[in-house]
Amino acid sequence: MCFKQWYQRRVRGAIVVTDAMAAMGLGDGQHKIGAQDVTVCGKQAVLTGTNTLAGSVVTMPSCVAHFKKHSGCSLVEAVNCATKHPAELLKCTQLYGTLDFGSVADFLLIDSDVNVLATFISGDMVYKSEKLSSFSI
């Protein structure tokens, strides 16, 4: 069964994750991760000088966008699969996975293509994209 058909059967509680390693966000090239020399190329990292996969450098927004595209779900459903559903599984929805009163106010502002526009930790903005430079939040 293909991914889209699986999702359309409404398998409840789908969860989006990333297996990204510490080299995520460092860009293509040579990096040292712990004691290992790693070469990043695109969305994967290999042990330098080998074809041995060291891990992924795929971001969570990229995973959400991929899930949305290939499942045919809405952006809200895809975001829930990366936020609300994991919090429900871990039984920590009183603090995480929602923006309810009393929850930890860690959240992102994203556009319809899942590009991160701003990042908030405990309600404080810690990152603001150039796309938002003309807005004050």
Side-chain angles (χ1 to χ4, degrees):
M1 175 184 336
C2 83
F3 186 75
K4 190 171 190 173
Q5 289 171 328
W6 169 82
Y7 186 79
Q8 287 175 343
R9 288 184 178 205
R10 297 291 179 204
V11 176
R12 305 222 12 125
I15 294 176
V16 173
V17 298
T18 180
D19 64 346
M21 58 187 296
M24 180 191 70
L26 298 180
D28 288 354
Q30 306 290 321
H31 304 286
K32 191 145 189 96
I33 307 300
Q36 298 288 333
D37 291 320
V38 174
T39 302
V40 173
C41 184
K43 294 182 180 179
Q44 72 175 12
V46 296
L47 298 178
T48 299
T50 74
N51 289 327
T52 303
L53 187 62
S56 166
V57 289
V58 179
T59 65
M60 182 58 83
S62 177
C63 291
V64 170
H66 182 82
F67 184 83
K68 177 184 174 291
K69 176 181 177 183
H70 293 285
S71 69
C73 72
S74 70
L75 179 57
V76 170
E77 290 170 314
V79 168
N80 280 341
C81 290
T83 57
K84 183 179 177 185
H85 296 174
E88 289 171 344
L89 177 69
L90 297 172
K91 300 186 184 334
C92 62
T93 54
Q94 69 281 4
L95 292 176
Y96 300 101
T98 68
L99 287 176
D100 292 335
F101 181 77
S103 66
V104 177
D106 295 347
F107 62 96
L108 304 173
L109 292 182
I110 58 174
D111 64 17
S112 60
D113 293 322
V114 200
N115 295 305
V116 177
L117 303 176
T119 303
F120 293 79
I121 298 177
S122 297
D124 295 323
M125 185 170 31
V126 297
Y127 167 77
K128 183 175 172 182
S129 156
E130 290 179 12
K131 291 180 182 180
L132 284 182
S133 62
S134 61
F135 295 97
S136 66
I137 299 175

